[in-house]
Amino acid sequence: MSVKAFNATKSEKVFDIANFILMGIILTVTLYPFLNVLAISLNDSTDTVRGGIYLWPREFTLENYKTIFQYDGLIQGAKISFARTIIGTLLGLLSSSMLAYTLSRPDFKIKKFVSTFLALTMYFSGGLIPGYILMKDLHLIGTFWIYILPMMVSAFNVFVIRSFIDGLPYALQESAKLDGANDLTIYYKVILPLCKPVLATIALFLAVGQWNAWFDTYLYNGSKPELTTLQYELMKVLQSTQQGGSNVNANDLAQQMAQVSPESIRMAITIVVTLPILVVYPFLQKYFVGGMTLGAVKA
Amino acid sequence: MKHKAPKAIAMMLLASTMLFTAACGNTKGEESSTSDPNSTEPITFSFFGADTSPHWNKMQDVVGKKITEATGVTINAEYDIASGGGDDKIALMAASGDYPDLIFPKANLSKLVDAGAMIDLTELIEEHAPNIKKMYGEEMNRLKYSNEDQAIYTLPTNGSVDQLTFDNTGGFELQHRVVKELGYPEIKTVEDYENALREYYKAHPTTEDGQPTIPLTLSADGWRSMITVTNPAVSATGAPDDGEYYINPETYEAVLHYKRPEEKEYFRWLNKMYNEGLLDKDTFIQKEDQYKAKIASGRVLGIIDHEWAYNDAEVALKNAGKDEMTYGHYPVTLTSEFKRADFQPVGSDGYGIGITENCKDPVRAIKFLDWMASDEGQVLRNWGVEGEQYVIEDGVRVIPADVQERKNNDNASFTKETGIGLYFVFGPHYGDGVKDPSGNYYTTNFPEQILAGYSEAEKEALKGYGISTWKELFPTEEDFEVKEWGAAYNMPVPSDGKYQVIYQKTQDIVQKRIPEAVVSSTDKFDQVYDNMLAELDKAGAVEMEQQYTEWIKERVRLWTGKDVQ
């Protein structure tokens, strides 16, 4: 947003100022909770109990982060988490966009049936136990691929991409066909480049979903330390500071609590978990805008 | 992706399928072990625990290595995370038949029993487990599953056998500075308690830095309201803690404890405190962290809570050098005719560890659990290894100062390294106050150690009352019979179905109406409280109580062999 310093009319000035203020308020409202979390995570945990921490830590410490990084599963977990995020996102994008393209084609005979079939999965699911038994019969339990395959196609993502493709002029595909392109070429050379904005959006969904997933680790790979994920490890840490267990005596507990309070630890975890995925946003940002204006059709 | 050929995509797909097929075909069952039950050949048992155990170190700790050395057993453990309890995992196990060898199912035992997953331990204990037999002795009946199915599926491990608690960390709390200034008055009834608060508050309406003093505050944030608002009504009127119920010791009739007339009087007292301005106006709207922040500021004179809940606030006070603002524990009752039952013994009761049908070698498994219950095993689990985590001086087990220091200040890594505290679930164990044949305590909690943990201000307050621990103010174990039904809140109830629906409804009513009754004007209190009781019955409380009574009676029948009608 640029402020015109001169030859701006009075009403434009007023608008600019009001705009500044409004945007400033919105920025504060959205950013404050995050800064507050950061401040608490860097504050001495005993001091946190006293309350009243807003924008910066009162007693700066890195103890909370130390506590979290003491756990040896963390490095392996980070590896697996990154792997599943990258592989899962790429494969997910590929399969969803291919399916979406197929479903968008008017000459696809069983389009309606497949769409309905797909839509059903959005509203009905087999539930936990049938899902588990299915995974067991597919021999996916205890493998890395259980993180990837079940999440590859989600009905919602497919429909989002499909409606985006539906919005593209069909003439583009026709002219490509006339130039001798086959279906795969059209998908790859025409559709994909035009779909960048929607693909970026879906990539974000997928990446965040993969990054934040811990429940599948817990259900299927809990006994496999080599397949642990970052979120699963952090869940464990989170628990350790919440319950003393029935066998811990009060003195030990008191000392333990003095080191790390649940509040500070929880906030430190939140930061650790959020940062890597925050980094993804700026990289996808440009695609949201780009691609909208590519390859227009002359009417 | 601009210059890549479509081939690349095809290749990627191909590669991924190849990877996927390569990743298939993994777990194969381990070799089954020898049939010689006395062997200490290496054997690995898989285990699932429904509690969380974040410091579990795959037995690479001192205690773990010793256990493997002595028994040949390695435990491949997996613990529940999230809220603990293992509901999802155990439901999956029961449905799919994928059980570990050993399991600690907590409240989900019935799912596994119904699936036929658990094996009956009765014979195994009889033949191979002398230590476990010795431990339970008379109370063997309490291990049985039900009247219809008298098998023993689990050995209680989350409770301790013959536990004798040395101190009380509950009751009603008052700051040490309050009792000191008032000359250590007798604090036995709510009236005494209230007078102490009132008097001190009158003299010190604000703190030194000008903040208003808060005579009494409670935390009603979620489940905490049970601890600080409703449970005290039970204990201040002389009943033992049985969760949301009061169980008549003669007839075993269970009623929602709110229905006891004496408890109404307790809530009336809270109502009076509120209207007088002695009970914090924010009590029912503050969050837990605000409650703790208030305590940590030192301006709250009295609370009704348990030390494990407000501990970090107290630590914050101690760190700020405000020991006189930490709390002592007083045996407050509604009137002097009641006797607090904090220490009424419940006997053996608790969730335990069991062996599943999938276990490769049940005999080795029970022998392992039995070794863990032996004197050697228990000392190892509680104390660690002689010469490392403890030493013996003149026949007495002592924890060296440097070890104790690490235990206190770096507990997480100490636990990870030594494994002390990680193995309680593997086999029964004696509680505090029980001595082994050498005359030493099995556990590391004993009077001398508790005394060492008191701050100067706390010692002064104790001295003011002429006692050495807070427990001495309370009626002790000897004043009570052992409860025939254990602790009712440990009794597994169906997790779904009609009972659960009604229970949830009653909980919602209580959580809404009790605060309403406390904050209403004095003349309205009766009306609000009576309406609540009517509402509970309308929600089906009577039916629910009858159902619960039946369960309690069954439990008593099973445990005591009494013919309860």
Side-chain angles (χ1 to χ4, degrees):
Chain A
M1 186 189 117
S2 67
V3 185
K4 293 183 195 149
F6 48 94
N7 74 21
T9 62
K10 201 167 179 180
S11 66
E12 272 177 338
K13 263 189 195 147
V14 171
F15 175 77
D16 280 344
I17 290 165
N19 213 358
F20 256 130
I21 293 169
L22 186 72
M23 289 298 161
I25 290 170
I26 291 175
L27 187 73
T28 317
V29 167
T30 45
L31 208 59
Y32 170 71
F34 193 76
L35 290 176
N36 179 253
V37 167
L38 189 63
I40 292 177
S41 77
L42 290 168
N43 193 41
D44 175 73
S45 53
T46 309
D47 185 66
T48 304
V49 178
R50 298 189 181 105
I53 305 233
Y54 303 111
L55 277 174
W56 16 83
R58 206 165 25 213
E59 291 186 28
F60 183 85
T61 176
L62 290 172
E63 203 56 42
N64 307 314
Y65 288 93
K66 259 193 205 142
T67 306
I68 301 179
F69 285 110
Q70 259 179 2
Y71 294 82
D72 45 1
L74 222 60
I75 303 297
Q76 184 60 21
K79 278 186 205 159
I80 298 283
S81 278
F82 274 110
R84 72 177 289 182
T85 304
I86 292 163
I87 299 173
T89 307
L90 289 178
L91 289 181
L93 275 182
L94 192 71
S95 46
S96 323
S97 59
M98 275 187 167
L99 183 55
Y101 173 57
T102 315
L103 286 178
S104 74
R105 285 280 291 265
D107 52 343
F108 180 49
K109 286 282 183 287
I110 50 168
K111 179 174 155 177
K112 209 166 171 65
F113 170 74
V114 176
S115 299
T116 317
F117 195 76
L118 203 57
L120 279 181
T121 64
M122 283 168 71
Y123 303 102
F124 305 101
S125 77
L128 195 66
I129 292 169
Y132 182 87
I133 292 172
L134 174 67
M135 294 303 155
K136 193 182 157 191
D137 291 346
L138 290 171
H139 297 286
L140 282 175
I141 290 179
T143 69
F144 174 74
W145 292 97
I146 197 145
Y147 299 145
I148 307 291
L149 297 173
M151 289 169 98
M152 254 167 73
V153 172
S154 100
F156 178 77
N157 292 350
V158 171
F159 290 140
V160 170
I161 303 176
R162 192 191 71 182
S163 36
F164 189 88
I165 298 176
D166 282 343
L168 299 172
Y170 190 65
L172 286 172
Q173 295 187 39
E174 283 174 339
S175 61
K177 251 206 182 90
L178 287 175
D179 292 340
N182 66 9
D183 288 345
L184 213 59
T185 316
I186 294 176
Y187 161 73
Y188 182 68
K189 288 262 160 101
V190 179
I191 301 292
L192 273 192
L194 289 174
C195 279
K196 269 184 192 164
V198 76
L199 289 181
T201 314
I202 299 297
L204 201 63
F205 286 162
L206 285 165
V208 172
Q210 284 282 11
W211 181 257
N212 286 341
W214 60 270
F215 199 62
D216 47 9
T217 316
Y218 160 73
L219 283 186
Y220 306 119
N221 291 345
S223 53
K224 294 255 175 202
E226 69 276 15
L227 286 172
T228 184
T229 54
L230 197 54
Q231 306 283 348
Y232 182 62
E233 289 300 320
L234 291 173
M235 279 306 271
K236 286 193 207 168
V237 180
L238 193 60
Q239 290 313 311
S240 74
T241 52
Q242 275 179 343
Q243 48 120 249
S246 50
N247 300 309
V248 182
N249 79 52
N251 285 339
D252 286 354
L253 204 60
Q255 297 299 340
Q256 223 177 318
M257 291 289 214
Q259 304 288 326
V260 199
S261 82
E263 183 74 7
S264 280
I265 272 284
R266 214 175 301 151
M267 296 310 161
I269 286 175
T270 312
I271 296 288
V272 168
V273 169
T274 327
L275 273 184
I277 204 78
L278 271 186
V279 172
V280 176
Y281 280 82
F283 287 105
L284 291 172
Q285 190 67 36
K286 61 179 186 200
Y287 297 109
F288 291 133
V289 188
M292 302 292 279
T293 50
L294 273 183
V297 182
K298 287 201 176 73
Chain B
M1 290 203 45
K2 250 188 172 143
H3 308 292
K4 273 195 195 150
K7 272 185 201 156
I9 290 179
M11 288 304 289
M12 262 173 72
L13 271 176
L14 187 65
S16 65
T17 15
M18 281 167 73
L19 266 171
F20 159 55
T21 42
C24 267
N26 51 340
T27 46
K28 280 277 168 287
E30 281 137 13
E31 299 291 299
S32 69
S33 84
T34 52
S35 53
D36 174 20
N38 291 326
S39 84
T40 50
E41 280 207 16
I43 182 170
T44 303
F45 286 125
S46 53
F47 166 80
F48 174 78
D51 265 330
T52 56
S53 179
H55 300 310
W56 178 255
N57 203 1
K58 309 183 187 70
M59 289 186 92
Q60 292 313 302
D61 41 64
V62 180
V63 172
K65 283 178 178 159
K66 262 272 187 280
I67 290 172
T68 307
E69 198 180 307
T71 60
V73 173
T74 310
I75 299 284
N76 174 15
E78 184 189 337
Y79 289 94
D80 199 56
I81 59 168
S83 53
D87 301 7
D88 291 333
K89 287 288 271 201
I90 289 172
L92 292 179
M93 286 174 194
S96 66
D98 283 346
Y99 324 121
D101 302 328
L102 296 167
I103 189 163
F104 173 74
K106 232 174 158 175
N108 287 303
L109 175 62
S110 57
K111 282 183 193 155
L112 291 166
V113 171
D114 294 345
M118 307 300 289
I119 58 175
D120 183 359
L121 306 176
T122 316
E123 300 245 315
L124 286 170
I125 295 173
E126 196 55 48
E127 279 172 43
H128 304 284
N131 293 312
I132 294 175
K133 247 167 79 177
K134 190 179 85 190
M135 219 169 195
Y136 288 118
E138 298 286 289
E139 292 193 326
M140 224 38 173
N141 268 345
R142 288 185 166 224
L143 307 188
K144 288 178 181 168
Y145 182 65
S146 71
N147 286 304
E148 292 72 48
D149 182 358
Q150 302 233 345
I152 295 174
Y153 292 118
T154 57
L155 305 164
T157 55
N158 83 332
S160 306
V161 181
D162 299 338
Q163 166 95 12
L164 184 72
T165 315
F166 290 112
D167 201 5
N168 192 345
T169 55
F172 283 47
E173 287 81 16
L174 276 174
Q175 285 186 332
H176 303 314
R177 60 174 180 160
V178 175
V179 290
K180 187 176 173 180
E181 177 159 327
L182 303 178
Y184 305 110
E186 189 176 73
I187 307 286
K188 285 227 161 110
T189 65
V190 292
E191 204 177 337
D192 302 335
Y193 186 73
E194 167 190 345
N195 289 340
L197 291 176
R198 190 182 293 115
E199 210 170 318
Y200 192 90
Y201 181 48
K202 228 182 245 159
H204 308 268
T206 57
T207 56
E208 282 157 20
D209 46 14
Q211 285 186 300
T213 303
I214 300 168
L216 173 67
T217 190
L218 307 171
S219 173
D221 186 2
W223 62 273
R224 292 281 289 123
S225 85
M226 250 192 215
I227 310 290
T228 74
V229 183
T230 60
N231 279 0
V234 180
S235 45
T237 51
D241 186 0
D242 277 315
E244 287 296 272
Y245 294 91
Y246 168 73
I247 289 150
N248 181 321
E250 264 83 52
T251 62
Y252 308 112
E253 293 281 335
V255 289
L256 281 174
H257 65 76
Y258 309 94
K259 294 186 174 180
R260 300 165 64 223
E262 53 266 55
E263 286 194 29
K264 183 175 169 183
E265 294 315 303
Y266 176 83
F267 290 114
R268 190 192 302 279
W269 172 75
L270 275 185
N271 170 271
K272 181 180 117 190
M273 295 287 282
Y274 185 87
N275 284 312
E276 232 185 276
L278 288 175
L279 176 58
D280 187 5
K281 290 276 179 254
D282 296 342
T283 290
F284 296 106
I285 44 180
Q286 64 191 352
K287 302 298 281 177
E288 179 74 7
D289 54 348
Q290 294 169 300
Y291 167 78
K292 277 189 186 161
K294 277 180 188 167
I295 294 176
S297 72
R299 56 199 183 104
V300 180
L301 306 179
I303 47 181
I304 306 171
D305 204 343
H306 280 267
E307 207 165 284
W308 48 260
Y310 63 84
N311 206 320
D312 36 0
E314 210 167 38
V315 169
L317 282 169
K318 283 178 183 165
N319 283 5
K322 297 178 178 169
D323 281 359
E324 77 283 3
M325 296 181 190
T326 58
Y327 298 88
H329 304 273
Y330 300 90
V332 175
T333 52
L334 186 64
T335 60
S336 51
E337 69 206 46
F338 292 105
K339 191 169 79 166
R340 285 185 70 102
D342 302 51
F343 291 106
Q344 177 161 16
V346 294
S348 282
D349 177 17
Y351 302 121
I353 187 170
I355 303 176
T356 71
E357 288 287 351
N358 286 12
C359 185
K360 298 175 278 281
D361 193 343
V363 173
R364 277 294 296 277
I366 196 80
K367 278 189 158 313
F368 162 71
L369 295 176
D370 190 59
W371 185 87
M372 292 294 251
S374 69
D375 289 352
E376 188 188 351
Q378 291 201 60
V379 170
L380 179 66
R381 287 194 282 167
N382 281 311
W383 291 81
V385 176
E386 189 185 343
E388 291 183 46
Q389 286 78 37
Y390 72 93
V391 290
I392 293 188
E393 292 172 2
D394 315 325
V396 181
R397 265 198 295 273
V398 202
I399 301 176
D402 58 321
V403 175
Q404 187 61 47
E405 207 265 332
R406 275 211 61 205
K407 210 173 174 171
N408 291 347
N409 298 330
D410 194 7
N411 193 281
S413 37
F414 178 82
T415 305
K416 260 187 132 69
E417 257 167 65
T418 60
I420 292 172
L422 293 180
Y423 295 89
F424 287 120
V425 71
F426 300 105
H429 41 82
Y430 281 116
D432 300 343
V434 185
K435 291 183 177 180
D436 70 359
S438 75
N440 283 299
Y441 290 106
Y442 279 108
T443 72
T444 52
N445 291 334
F446 43 88
E448 294 80 359
Q449 210 222 355
I450 288 168
L451 295 183
Y454 287 143
S455 68
E456 285 311 309
E458 197 162 13
K459 281 182 186 154
E460 194 186 355
L462 286 159
K463 214 167 106 193
Y465 283 101
I467 50 173
S468 57
T469 64
W470 296 111
K471 187 183 174 178
E472 291 173 43
L473 292 173
F474 291 78
T476 57
E477 286 87 349
E478 286 81 52
D479 303 352
F480 296 96
E481 297 279 305
V482 175
K483 274 161 74 184
E484 292 172 317
W485 56 90
Y489 52 80
N490 272 340
M491 186 171 73
V493 295
S495 53
D496 43 17
K498 197 167 177 187
Y499 171 82
Q500 205 50 254
V501 172
I502 301 179
Y503 180 79
Q504 218 40 63
K505 272 191 200 157
T506 56
Q507 283 297 294
D508 294 344
I509 294 167
V510 166
Q511 274 164 15
K512 199 160 124 199
R513 298 298 175 210
I514 290 282
E516 194 185 327
V518 173
V519 305
S520 63
S521 58
T522 328
D523 54 340
K524 285 251 171 57
F525 172 82
D526 273 305
Q527 191 191 337
V528 177
Y529 200 88
D530 294 340
N531 281 352
M532 176 187 82
L533 295 183
E535 227 178 315
L536 286 173
D537 282 348
K538 223 174 92 187
V542 176
E543 196 185 341
M544 175 180 82
E545 288 160 352
Q546 283 166 346
Q547 172 68 72
Y548 204 79
T549 303
E550 204 35 58
W551 286 329
I552 291 283
K553 282 180 177 170
E554 272 181 27
R555 212 175 198 206
V556 176
R557 261 179 236 138
L558 179 69
W559 285 7
T560 61
K562 279 188 189 174
D563 183 29
V564 181
Q565 286 314 318

